[in-house]
Amino acid sequence: MASGYGAIPTAVIVSQQDEAAGQPEASSRWPLLRRPRTPKRSTQLSLTLLILVSAGALLFLQNELFERIKRPLPVHSDEYHYIPVDISHLFNNIAAGPGADFDPHYHSHFAAEHLPTNSFSYDGVKFILPSNWSDGQADNLIPHGETIHLGKDSTYTRELHVLYAGDWIDGESGNKFTLNYEDGSSEQVEVSAKNWWTLHWLNQGVIRTPYHYRHDGTKNHNLTMIYHWSAGTRSDSPVVSISLPEAHWPNHFHLFSLSLVPSHTMPREGKRPPKIPLISIRRQTVTTKWRTIDGVKAYAIELSVVNPLPSKYTRHESKDDGRLWIKGPFYFELEGEGVRTVQPGMVARIMPGDEAKVKVWVEVIDLKGKPERGAASSLATVIVRDTKGREVQRFGRYDLGFEKEGGLARKLEENTLDTPEWWDDAKFGIFIHWGLYSIPGFAPKGWYAAWYWWWMHKWPDANNGFWNYHRDHYGTKVVYDDFIDMFNPTKFNASEWIDLFAESGAKYFVLVTKHHDGWALFDTKNTTHRSTYHLGPKRDYIRELFDAAKNEQPEMKRGTYITMPEWYNPDAGEGGYGFGDWPGQLAHNAYDYDKLEPYRGRLPGKDYLRDQQLEHMRMLARDYESEIMWCDIGGPNLTKEFAAEWYPFAESQGRQVVMNNRCGDLPQFDTPEYTRFSSIQSTKWETSEGIDPYCYAYNRETKPEEYKSAQTVLHSLIDIVSKNGNYLIGLGPTGDGDIVQPVVERMLDVGKWLKHSGECVYGTKYFFPGAEHGPLRFTQTETTFCIISFVRPENGKLVVGRDVPVLKGDKISFLGGGKAGEDLDWRVEDGGRLVVDVPEKALDKVDLAWAFKVEYAL
């Protein structure tokens, strides 16, 4: 196993708490290691200063003053400190070239001519790849639980990085890596494995090929991917081995390459550390997030600021608590010819092994100071200041890419749009499935009720529960479209729905405007008359709900679900857009195959993609001002054309909008269903699931006691948020527009908890060293840290058996506990255990989960 070293960002930061560290000199364009003030005579001892260098070693300079380095700042390298791990001796599969059989289901494989050779770099980390993909040799591994022993290369590790792909075309699978440590402990991190290509939604791979080869040598022109995934790891003990995931069926996990990012270590155990915390900038990202600040439109540059020491130094054996922590506040600015900092980013605290995401808000300007999208220069320097505005450090120039023409248009072209800041902060949404399928409101347990029409036809015989139910309750003469005349939701009340969403603590909602049966709940104008506006009740339910939300809960974000294909719309088939389970042909009667079922409301002469799919997306975006386009299934689409209109339109109104990964293009967040993960996922994701244990829509077969409890919903929300996700919980109204009482009661209980403890959920970020420890989950903001327990603390004590960012002077409160829960006594015991004393009378005030907030002493 070879080590590779890129240009490691190196810095020495002067702690504001350390008077002896001194006041830095004025700002300069040259890199500067700061000259300290003359110390008091009583403290004039030999100074030992610590400098972090590229190989991770530490150089001690004694009795020397730092001088300016008289040379320009170097352009920052995209590579970080990494260790590629050789796994080639375990390869057992051929992904490309002669003899390739990457996908055992269809015996297809990657196009070797489009894959990078020798190495590939992403996120500052280099990966080893084959020098020749066409030599007929195994080039990837389908793991079966193998263990890789690191031997002499065992090291303190802060990040695990892999290149991988799944070989199925639908869904995702969880695959767990186990890191085994020198102290005998272990840790699992889980990747939600995406597939190399899929019909239903678009994932964002880092290696992309325009096609892959079928078994007969012909090309499948679907975009084909290899993905990058990374996880933060514990660094309190060296990693000695890595156990790989077990094999899955039908989705095999293929591992192409694996690399580690090590921590930096102290060279001599027991030596008293210097009074200088270490800081490094791990990555810098130009985002599409924006704010209007003092009348200026500012974009966020996100810096990943890290303390590169291993977490074993969190509580140093010298008992000098916090000596090796970054203790601020420190403020980060960007200086360059193409940018102007409008609002600095802030770091309050980073303990060893931790990382903070810092947003610096900048205006993009040209050399004459006039704002423009493509600036003449994009090299920027990161400047760090203390609370008095004094510069304490600067980092080498970063190429931000602003000189490239296009701004938002370029991001659209590159498929690199970010989720809006409001979506990141909202965390919790309500999903409503309501339509013709709500009339029968039936599915056998484990099946989706909204697919009633499809499953009734899939296997039209007595072994099919849907087929039997329809025959027994409606007879063989009633077809699905007869439900149109039965759809008369007399109990529907838009204001009551919106009030329930708000009282549940949801910050956004997503309404199914049209499901796969093609029945729309809005005014589809003359694209089709298959809608509630033209047939049945002749009402625009999306308009009613959106108007109620705007008037009664204007801060709540409004989203629209829309299916991309329709099962039985003949316009899709006639246009050549049918595929798989969406043939685009009229349904054959489930009880008399020779008869075709009607598709009421259809208007002849329509091109499905342009006249219906695209126009419906435009209507929802333009006429209803949807802020979330939550597509489903993917398939043939004109999403690129839609997005080129929608994003600039919303931006011109001062709105930021978002689209999921099922629209066929421009994915901004992943959408696993009924899924939770055991570790943080670095990409943005949103789990959706029904409060019904098996489906999103109403199912009359579900008993009141079978709905998810308020505690289950709340624990799912907290767990998902702690791992960088959002939670979209589905409520299925009945055919008459009622949300059943057991569901209402559970959601109101969730909202009650969020009213007193929601600050540990909304607007929080994940804790890089790990989201969970037993029944505890961790979240944080710039100036606070939250510990949320899924079990009531015993004997009046919250015990946290791992290092967390708590220092002397911090204030810890129990949220929802009233006066008794304020400013609690706490201590850090030997071994780093945090113990918080909390009165039983405070605990008695709270149910479901117990949230403790740490407020940093700044």
Side-chain angles (χ1 to χ4, degrees), residues 10 131-132 171 176 360 363 408 430 452 473 493 609 627 697 828:
T10 302
S131 59
N132 185 351
K176 296 180 179 180
V360 182
E363 180 185 18
L408 176 61
I430 300 291
Y452 182 94
H473 289 79
N493 185 305
L609 286 193
E627 293 161 295
V828 176

Side-chain angles (χ1 to χ4, degrees), residues 123 159-162 191 228-232 283 680-682:
D123 194 25
E159 299 169 23
L160 169 69
H161 292 254
V162 300
V191 54
H228 167 262
W229 174 80
S230 66
R283 62 180 67 83
I680 295 163
Q681 303 300 302
S682 57

